[in-house]
Amino acid sequence: MVRIVHKEVSGRVRLKIIGLKNSKEFGDFLFAHLEKLPFISDFSVNITTGSLLIYHSPQKNLIEIIQTVEYLAEEFRKTFINENSKREQEKPESFKERIIKKIKDKIPFKQEKKYQDWHLLDWRDIVKDLQTDETRGLSSDEAKRRLKNYGANSIESGETKSGFSLFLNQFKSVPVILLGVASIISLFTGGITDAIFIIGVVITNAIIGYKTERKTESLIKSLNKIFEHKSEVIRDGQVQSIESEELVPGDIVLLKPGSFVNADCRLIESINLSVDESALTGESLPVTKFVNLCIFNNGDNIPLADRCNMVYRGTFVVGGHGKAVVVETGNTTEIGKIKSLIEESETPKTAVQNQLDRLGIKLSIISALICAAVFVLGLLRGYGIIEMLKSSISLAVAAVPEGLPTVATTTFALGMANLRRQGILIRELKAVETLGTINTICFDKTGTLTLNKMSVAEVFIDTKLYQSDGKNLYEFQSEVKVEENPTLKELLKISILCNDSKLTFDNGKYNIVGTPTENALVKLANYITANPEELREKYKRIKTFYRAENRHFMLTIHETENPDEYLVAIKGAPDRLLEFSNQLMHNGEIKHFTERELLLYSEANELMSSKGLRVLGFCYGILSKIHRDLINELNSEDCNCSKIIDSIDIVWLGLIGFKDPIREGVKELIERFHLAGIETVMITGDQSLTATAIAEELSLSRKGHINVVETSRLENGQTDIDEINVFSRATPTDKLKIVKALQSKGKYVAMTGDGINDGPALKVADLGISMGKAGTEIARDVAEIVIEDDDLSKLELAIANGRNTYVNIRKSIHYLVSTNLSEIFTMFSCIALKAGQPLTPIQLLWINLISDIFPGLALSIEPLDRELMKQPPRNPDEELLNMTQLRRHFLEASAITLSTMTAYLYGISRYGVSPASSSIAFLSLSLSQILHAYSCKSERKSILSSDTFSNKYLNLAVGGTLLLQIALSFIPGLRNLLGLTPLKMIDYGVVSMTTLGSVLINESLKKTKN
C-alpha cells in the first residue's frame, strides 16, 4: 500500500510504502525499476523510514505516479514474497509441527480471521485473499461452510440483568444490611415480633425497587424492535436475497438506494454511490464512495469517516449503486468494536448512592456506640443482661432510620413513574437522582440538536442573497415571486433536471426518495414552481455523468423543444464550476462573466460556507446536436466531461446553500440550561465550520465566545478541555475520551445521542440520554434515559424532576433523622436517670415503621418547584446530611425529647413506672414526630405560611397516622400487642400540650419567612 506523506511542492512527492522499511530487497527492486521511468527526473529510496521521494514532471498526474508505484510494490510482493513462501513450504516439517497438525485436523475449531486495514488494500487482492469471485460470488456450499466457521453475522449482546439479580440489587445498601443484622439478633433474643417487623420493611423496600426497575427495563426493550434487513448477494453466479445473519466474509453484495449495509465491506464497484453514515460517524451529509485506494496525508491512521472505499454495517445507501465484498461480520465489524467498548466501560455510582452508604456507616458507628453505652450503663444500674441486650437492640433499631431505604427507593420510583407519563423512560432508579447533579451536557449534533434532514437555507443569484425556510424564498422578509425572477426560475429548473430524487404522490401526500441534498432541491422547487416530474418529462434526460473522485460535479444532458439542441445541466462544487463558466445570467439576461463578478460569487461561496452551509453551484449550456456522436462515445464513469464543456458556453446561474435544520425550540432550551447553571457542549463528527455555525446559532457558550477544537488536535491531559464548547470530527473513541476528560475535571456529565457512534460515550457518562424513535438500538440499550418521542425539551423537565427529587429526599432525611434521634435521646435519658424504659422494642418499631415512613414518604413527593431551574446545580459532593444540618436535627430532636420526657415524668408521678406512663410517653413522642413533618417542609418558611398544606399526600399521611395513633388506645388487639393501656381525658390533655410545645419550639428555631 502506498500513501502520500507530502505533496505541497509542485513536481515533488514523498510517499510511504508499507513493507519498504528495513527491506533492502524491496529498496533495490524500486531503484532498479524507477530509474527507467521517463517522467521521473530523480528519486530517493529510504529503507530506514520506509519512504520514497520522487521528483517528477509537474504535468504528470499524481494518481498515475501512485498507481505506478503500487504496481511495482505488487510486482515485488509476487516476485520475492511468493518465492520466500515457496522456500518455506519446501522445508521439511519438524516432529513438533507434524504433531500440532494432526491435533488440529482432529479437533474442530471456529475459524478466526485476522483483522486487516481493508481500506488500505486493493480490492483485487482482497477478493483473491478471501477466495471469492467478483462476478459469480461464493458457491452456496462454500457460504454454508464459512457460516459454520465464522459464525452468524450478528453482534453478541451484553449480559441482560435477570429478575433475580435485579431483586438482589435492592439489598445492597448499608441501612438495609443493618436492618437485616438487627432482625437476626432479635430472633436469637426471643424478639420474633420485632424481627418480623424489620424483615417486613426490608422486603417491602426490595419489592418496590424491583418492580419499578423491571417495568421500565421492559418498556425500553420494547422500543428495540428488531428490523430484519435482507441483503442482496451474488452466489452461484445468481443474485439472491438472504437474511443479514447469513452473510459471510467473501460474499459479494449489491448496494442500491434504500438498502441497509449489513456487514463491513470493501467496494469493488461504485456508480455515484452515496451512503448515510451519520449513525456511525456523526457526519450529517451522505458520503460519496469510490473504489480507489484511500490517499491520505496523515499517515496510516485514516479516520473512519474518510475511508471512502468502505461501507460499514449500520449505514444506509441513499443514492447510486455499487458492489462490494464482505470483509468483516458480527463482532469484528466496526459496530462490533463499538459494542466491545461499551461492554468494557463501567457505569459510575451516583452521588446519593455513595452518600447513603456513608450515612449508613455513620449511623452504624453511632448505633454501636449507643448500644454499648446503654448496655454498660444499664448493667451498672442493676438491670439484667437479657433485658439490657433487648433494650440495646431496640436502640440500635431506633438509630437506623428504617424508612430511609424505603423513602429513597420510593422517591426515585415515583420520579420514574412521573417521567414515564411524560414520555421519558428511566432505566434505573439512581438515574433520577443523577439528573439533579448534572452540570455539563454533551450534545451529539446530528439527529439530536438538528433534524438530520437537509433543507435549502440561502440562495445567491443576481448578486443578491435570498433566505429560505426550505419552502419559499424571502428578500427582507418579503416572499420572492418566481415568475418575477427569470434567473431564479432557470436555477430551479436546472436543480430539478440535474437531480435523481423521485417525487411521488400517494394518499394525498408527497413522498421524496433520494439523497437529502437533492430532496431539498425537489422540495423547494415543488413548493414554488410546477411539478418537478412534469419538468423532467418536458426535458427528457439522455445522458448522466455523476460526481466522481476527479469530477466534483454532476452533469446531465437533456432533449429540448428545439430539435437541433441539447440542454446541459450542471451542479457541483462552486469553485470548480466557476472555473469553466464564461457567461452569467443576470436578471434573466445572459452576459459575459467578468472578473469582478467572478470574485463576487467566490466571496459569496466562502461566506455561505463559513456559516456551516453546504454550498452547490449551478450552471448550464446549450449543446448542438451536431455533437451527438461525441455524447455517444463518452463513458459515464471515467469521463472528465472536458470535451463537452470545451464545446459550449457555460452560463453561470448562482449558489444554493443547504443546512441541517436545528430542532424547533432547541435554542431556547439551551438558554434555559444556561440559566440553570448547566454548561452545554457539542461533540460531532462534522467539519469544524459546520459545527461552529450550528454552535453560534444556538449560542452554545454561556460566555459568548465559541471555542472549537478538532479532536485530532487534542492533546492527552489537555488542561483547558472544560473550556471547549465544540469538539468536531469526533470518532466513537474520541467521544468516550472527551466525556472521561470532562469527568476528570470534576464535571458531572450527561451525554445525549442517537447513533451507533454515541454508544461508548453514553455508557461511560454519568447519565446517558438517547432518543426513542431516531435512536439506534445500541444507543437505547446503554442509555439510562430514553426520550420516547425524541422531544429534546423534555430533558429540561427531567433535570427539574431530578433536582426536586434530591430536595425532597433531604426533607425526608431531615424528618427521619430528627425523629429517630428523639427516640434515642428519650431512651438514653430515661435509662441514665434510672426512670425505667419508657418505650418497649415493639413500640419503637411501630413508631419507626408506621409513624415515620408515611409522613417521610409524603415529604418525598412534594410538588415540583420551578424555581429550582433558576438556580445552579448543587455541588455533587455536598453531603445529604452535613454537620450544620446535623446540629439542627439534634436541636429539633431535643425539643421532641423534652416534650416526651415531660409527658413521661407526668405519667410516672401519676401512675409510677407502668404501662400507663409508657402509653403517655408513646403517644406524646409519636404525635410530636408526626406533626414535625410540617416543620420539615421548609427550613425557612413558617408552618403558618400559605403553602403548608399544599401537599395533599402529606395531609393524608399526617391525618391518617394521627388517627391511627389515637385509635390504638381504643382497639384492644393492637393496644395489647403494643402493651398500651387506656388513658383518661387529663392524660390526653397533657399529651396534646406537650405535642404542641415541641412544634412551637422547633418553629422558633427557624429563620422564618412567611
Side-chain angles (χ1 to χ4, degrees):
M1 172 57 198
V2 179
R3 195 170 312 109
I4 295 176
V5 176
H6 191 274
K7 63 172 183 177
E8 305 307 319
V9 180
S10 178
R12 189 178 76 176
V13 62
R14 184 180 297 276
L15 306 174
K16 183 175 182 181
I17 307 175
I18 294 178
L20 177 59
K21 190 173 182 179
N22 299 325
S23 175
K24 185 176 182 302
E25 294 85 355
F26 197 177
D28 292 342
F29 182 88
L30 289 174
F31 189 87
H33 289 79
L34 288 173
E35 64 179 358
K36 301 175 183 178
L37 300 176
F39 55 84
I40 296 180
S41 57
D42 197 6
F43 63 90
S44 173
V45 180
N46 190 330
I47 63 172
T48 304
T49 61
S51 63
L52 170 64
L53 178 63
I54 294 177
Y55 294 89
H56 61 90
S57 170
Q59 287 74 36
K60 190 64 178 177
N61 190 303
L62 189 58
I63 293 178
E64 292 182 16
I65 294 175
I66 294 171
Q67 290 174 342
T68 301
V69 176
E70 286 175 342
Y71 172 77
L72 292 176
E74 175 64 19
E75 287 300 307
F76 170 77
R77 188 180 72 84
K78 291 177 181 177
T79 305
F80 286 86
I81 296 179
N82 290 347
E83 286 184 4
N84 291 336
S85 299
K86 186 177 179 181
R87 284 195 294 270
E88 288 291 327
Q89 292 172 2
E90 291 173 353
K91 288 182 180 179
E93 284 185 328
S94 66
F95 175 76
K96 180 180 179 181
E97 288 171 336
R98 289 197 301 271
I99 293 297
I100 291 175
K101 185 177 179 181
K102 286 182 180 180
I103 293 174
K104 285 185 176 181
D105 289 340
K106 290 182 179 180
I107 301 177
F109 64 98
K110 184 175 180 179
Q111 184 174 345
E112 293 186 1
K113 175 168 53 62
K114 183 180 178 182
Y115 173 77
Q116 299 188 52
D117 291 328
W118 302 105
H119 56 285
L120 303 180
L121 303 176
D122 188 279
W123 69 264
R124 298 170 189 83
D125 293 334
I126 294 173
V127 168
K128 184 178 179 181
D129 182 53
L130 294 176
Q131 298 178 12
T132 185
D133 185 276
E134 66 268 24
T135 56
R136 293 191 54 80
L138 297 172
S139 66
S140 296
D141 292 340
E142 176 62 16
K144 289 178 182 178
R145 188 188 69 79
R146 295 190 185 193
L147 185 63
K148 183 179 179 180
N149 287 337
Y150 294 121
N153 177 33
S154 58
I155 298 175
E156 297 174 8
S157 300
E159 294 183 6
T160 303
K161 289 183 180 178
S162 66
F164 183 67
S165 66
L166 278 176
F167 187 70
L168 284 182
N169 283 342
Q170 313 305 319
F171 297 93
K172 292 183 179 179
S173 70
V174 175
V176 171
I177 294 172
L178 285 174
L179 292 176
V181 172
S183 66
I184 293 171
I185 296 175
S186 293
L187 283 173
F188 279 103
T189 57
I192 297 176
T193 306
D194 299 356
I196 292 173
F197 266 83
I198 298 171
I199 293 171
V201 75
V202 170
I203 293 176
T204 301
N205 170 67
I207 291 172
I208 291 172
Y210 165 76
K211 284 193 172 182
T212 307
E213 289 190 17
R214 193 68 170 173
K215 185 173 182 180
T216 303
E217 189 76 18
S218 64
L219 277 171
I220 292 175
K221 288 294 182 185
S222 70
L223 289 174
N224 292 334
K225 297 176 182 178
I226 301 175
F227 297 97
E228 293 293 341
H229 300 304
K230 291 184 176 290
S231 297
E232 279 197 358
V233 300
I234 300 175
R235 286 184 180 174
D236 300 314
Q238 301 292 323
V239 176
Q240 302 178 23
S241 179
I242 65 171
E243 299 293 337
S244 62
E245 289 189 349
E246 297 175 10
L247 283 174
V248 295
D251 260 326
I252 305 299
V253 299
L254 301 179
L255 306 170
K256 60 184 180 180
S259 64
F260 283 89
V261 180
N262 297 314
D264 290 0
C265 308
R266 172 65 163 90
L267 285 172
I268 60 179
E269 183 180 299
S270 173
I271 302 174
N272 195 39
L273 183 67
S274 57
V275 179
D276 182 352
E277 296 183 339
S278 59
L280 183 63
T281 67
E283 280 281 9
S284 58
L285 294 174
V287 180
T288 302
K289 295 294 183 176
F290 308 105
V291 175
N292 295 345
L293 293 168
C294 294
I295 301 173
F296 203 74
N297 294 338
N298 293 337
D300 294 344
N301 189 23
I302 300 179
L304 202 67
D306 293 318
R307 298 175 187 175
C308 59
N309 55 21
M310 296 287 296
V311 289
Y312 293 101
R313 178 174 179 150
T315 60
F316 181 74
V317 178
V318 295
H321 296 79
K323 187 193 294 186
V325 56
V326 174
V327 292
E328 299 290 348
T329 59
N331 284 347
T332 62
T333 61
E334 291 296 328
I335 290 181
K337 294 179 200 173
I338 292 173
K339 191 78 172 179
S340 298
L341 277 175
I342 293 170
E343 297 300 331
E344 292 168 5
S345 304
E346 295 183 1
T347 305
K349 271 192 172 184
T350 70
V352 161
Q353 278 183 307
N354 292 326
Q355 291 185 43
L356 282 176
D357 286 345
R358 289 196 294 269
L359 184 58
I361 292 170
K362 289 177 183 177
L363 292 173
S364 300
I365 295 172
I366 292 172
S367 176
L369 292 174
I370 290 174
C371 288
V374 169
F375 185 77
V376 173
L377 184 62
L379 292 178
L380 293 175
R381 293 289 189 181
Y383 292 101
I385 293 177
I386 297 297
E387 182 182 5
M388 287 313 305
L389 187 59
K390 289 184 177 181
S391 297
S392 298
I393 292 170
S394 299
L395 280 177
V397 171
V400 179
E402 286 87 346
L404 182 59
T406 301
V407 165
T409 302
T410 308
T411 303
F412 289 148
L414 292 172
M416 288 175 71
N418 179 49
L419 290 173
R420 188 188 301 131
R421 286 192 293 271
Q422 305 291 332
I424 305 168
L425 305 182
I426 311 292
R427 186 180 295 277
E428 293 184 346
L429 299 177
K430 62 185 180 182
V432 180
E433 180 272 329
T434 307
L435 279 164
T437 70
I438 295 303
N439 52 29
T440 302
I441 302 178
C442 293
F443 292 101
D444 170 60
K445 182 188 77 67
T446 306
T448 303
L449 296 176
T450 64
L451 294 172
N452 197 18
K453 296 178 181 177
M454 299 304 291
S455 173
V456 174
E458 293 181 355
V459 175
F460 190 81
I461 56 173
D462 297 336
T463 66
K464 293 179 183 179
L465 183 65
Y466 298 97
Q467 305 297 324
S468 175
D469 58 3
K471 298 180 180 179
N472 295 291
L473 291 181
Y474 301 92
E475 183 182 17
F476 304 117
Q477 299 184 343
S478 298
E479 188 173 330
V480 177
K481 304 296 183 182
V482 67
E483 60 271 11
E484 298 174 3
N485 194 317
T487 306
L488 174 60
K489 185 176 182 180
E490 192 67 21
L491 175 71
L492 292 173
K493 182 177 84 172
I494 296 302
S495 73
I496 290 301
L497 297 178
C498 193
N499 189 319
D500 280 345
S501 288
K502 304 295 183 185
L503 179 68
T504 59
F505 190 76
D506 297 318
N507 298 322
K509 187 177 180 180
Y510 282 105
N511 295 311
I512 306 176
V513 180
T515 66
T517 302
E518 292 191 334
N519 288 352
L521 291 171
V522 171
K523 184 184 292 186
L524 179 65
N526 185 56
Y527 274 113
I528 62 179
T529 65
N531 189 319
E533 296 305 319
E534 292 179 0
L535 193 64
R536 288 170 174 171
E537 186 65 27
K538 182 179 179 181
Y539 296 91
K540 289 186 177 180
R541 187 190 299 186
I542 62 171
K543 196 76 171 181
T544 302
F545 299 93
Y546 287 111
R547 185 179 182 272
E549 189 170 9
N550 60 344
R551 183 172 61 238
H552 301 292
F553 56 86
M554 176 180 177
L555 184 149
T556 56
I557 302 175
H558 307 262
E559 293 181 349
T560 67
E561 294 177 338
N562 188 334
D564 297 325
E565 294 178 346
Y566 291 119
L567 172 65
V568 179
I570 310 173
K571 80 166 187 288
D575 52 351
R576 183 71 183 95
L577 269 58
L578 285 168
E579 285 180 8
F580 54 67
S581 294
N582 57 354
Q583 292 185 340
L584 167 70
M585 179 177 284
H586 187 80
N587 295 327
E589 296 183 2
I590 298 175
K591 51 183 284 191
H592 178 67
F593 207 170
T594 66
E595 286 294 329
R596 188 187 70 81
E597 289 161 335
L598 177 63
L599 180 61
L600 182 65
Y601 278 98
S602 296
E603 290 175 347
N605 175 38
E606 292 179 6
L607 178 62
M608 293 168 72
S609 297
S610 69
K611 298 176 185 177
L613 303 181
R614 184 192 185 192
V615 185
L616 291 178
F618 294 83
C619 55
Y620 76 96
I622 302 297
L623 181 67
S624 172
K625 285 195 175 180
I626 62 174
H627 297 293
R628 183 183 287 108
D629 293 339
L630 172 65
I631 295 172
N632 293 334
E633 70 184 26
L634 296 177
N635 185 295
S636 297
E637 294 183 37
D638 56 17
C639 170
N640 60 18
C641 299
S642 59
K643 291 183 180 180
I644 294 177
I645 292 169
D646 292 343
S647 302
I648 60 175
D649 290 323
I650 303 297
V651 182
W652 173 264
L653 292 171
L655 302 165
I656 296 181
F658 306 82
K659 72 173 182 180
D660 184 2
I662 292 174
R663 286 183 181 271
E664 186 177 352
V666 168
K667 183 175 182 179
E668 294 76 15
L669 179 65
I670 296 293
E671 290 177 1
R672 294 196 294 274
F673 281 142
H674 291 169
L675 182 64
I678 299 173
E679 299 288 346
T680 50
V681 176
M682 184 165 72
I683 308 177
T684 177
D686 265 340
Q687 302 283 352
S688 295
L689 272 177
T690 304
T692 302
I694 295 292
E696 289 176 346
E697 187 175 349
L698 289 172
S699 300
L700 197 68
S701 172
R702 294 175 66 193
K703 299 176 181 177
H705 172 70
I706 304 292
N707 188 5
V708 182
V709 173
E710 191 169 313
T711 52
S712 60
R713 298 177 182 174
L714 281 176
E715 299 176 2
N716 290 331
Q718 186 162 340
T719 56
D720 64 343
I721 195 163
D722 53 342
E723 299 294 326
I724 299 172
N725 308 113
V726 178
F727 298 88
S728 63
R729 303 296 286 164
T731 65
T733 303
D734 290 330
K735 293 184 178 185
L736 182 68
K737 290 179 179 177
I738 290 165
V739 170
K740 285 185 174 181
L742 289 170
Q743 289 172 326
S744 70
K745 288 286 186 178
K747 301 290 185 181
Y748 271 61
V749 182
M751 175 74 196
T752 71
D754 57 2
I756 298 164
N757 62 322
D758 299 317
L762 288 171
K763 177 70 180 290
V764 81
D766 296 284
L767 198 66
I769 302 164
S770 177
M771 303 296 113
K773 291 181 179 178
T776 59
E777 185 172 341
I778 284 183
R780 291 194 300 267
D781 273 344
V782 300
E784 285 90 354
I785 294 180
V786 177
I787 301 177
E788 200 169 9
D789 61 359
D790 296 0
D791 183 359
L792 196 61
S793 65
K794 289 184 177 178
L795 181 55
E796 179 189 17
L797 176 64
I799 291 175
N801 273 273
R803 292 185 178 188
N804 197 64
T805 298
Y806 182 82
V807 170
N808 288 345
I809 287 177
R810 291 190 74 166
K811 291 177 183 179
S812 297
I813 290 174
H814 178 182
Y815 174 75
L816 292 170
V817 172
S818 58
T819 53
N820 279 38
L821 282 174
S822 67
E823 298 163 22
I824 296 171
F825 291 169
T826 299
M827 292 293 292
F828 187 84
S829 299
C830 289
I831 292 174
L833 295 173
K834 208 171 183 179
Q837 297 187 50
L839 300 172
T840 64
I842 192 67
Q843 288 171 348
L844 282 170
L845 283 168
W846 176 270
I847 291 173
N848 285 350
L849 300 183
I850 306 300
S851 302
D852 283 4
I853 285 181
F854 293 110
L857 181 58
L859 279 171
S860 70
I861 50 177
E862 283 278 298
L864 179 64
D865 183 0
R866 293 288 179 180
E867 293 297 313
L868 287 173
M869 289 304 285
K870 296 180 181 178
Q871 303 169 13
R874 66 179 176 83
N875 183 353
D877 297 324
E878 179 184 7
E879 294 289 340
L880 276 168
L881 187 62
N882 56 42
M883 289 306 299
T884 301
Q885 292 166 331
L886 191 58
R887 281 194 294 269
R888 175 165 181 167
H889 298 344
F890 264 78
L891 289 173
E892 293 174 350
S894 299
I896 296 174
T897 300
L898 179 62
S899 67
T900 304
M901 289 291 294
T902 302
Y904 180 57
L905 292 175
Y906 156 78
I908 290 176
S909 66
R910 186 175 177 88
Y911 304 108
V913 178
S914 65
S917 59
S918 290
S919 298
I920 293 172
F922 173 78
L923 281 176
S924 178
L925 177 61
S926 59
L927 296 181
S928 295
Q929 289 184 355
I930 292 168
L931 291 179
H932 184 57
Y934 283 118
S935 290
C936 294
K937 274 177 63 76
S938 173
E939 294 182 357
R940 294 179 62 82
K941 291 183 180 180
S942 167
I943 200 172
L944 301 176
S945 63
S946 59
D947 62 347
T948 296
F949 301 103
S950 60
N951 185 347
K952 63 179 181 180
Y953 301 105
L954 182 59
N955 298 335
L956 288 172
V958 169
T961 50
L962 279 173
L963 291 174
L964 184 60
Q965 293 299 94
I966 295 172
L968 286 176
S969 301
F970 303 99
I971 301 175
L974 283 176
R975 189 175 62 204
N976 295 335
L977 176 66
L978 295 175
L980 301 175
T981 60
L983 299 176
K984 299 178 180 180
M985 289 304 298
I986 188 172
D987 299 331
Y988 286 116
V990 171
V991 169
S992 300
M993 293 299 293
T994 54
T995 299
L996 182 61
S998 70
V999 173
L1000 293 175
I1001 293 172
N1002 283 330
E1003 282 297 301
S1004 68
L1005 297 174
K1006 289 183 179 180
K1007 296 178 180 178
T1008 58
K1009 180 181 178 182
N1010 295 315

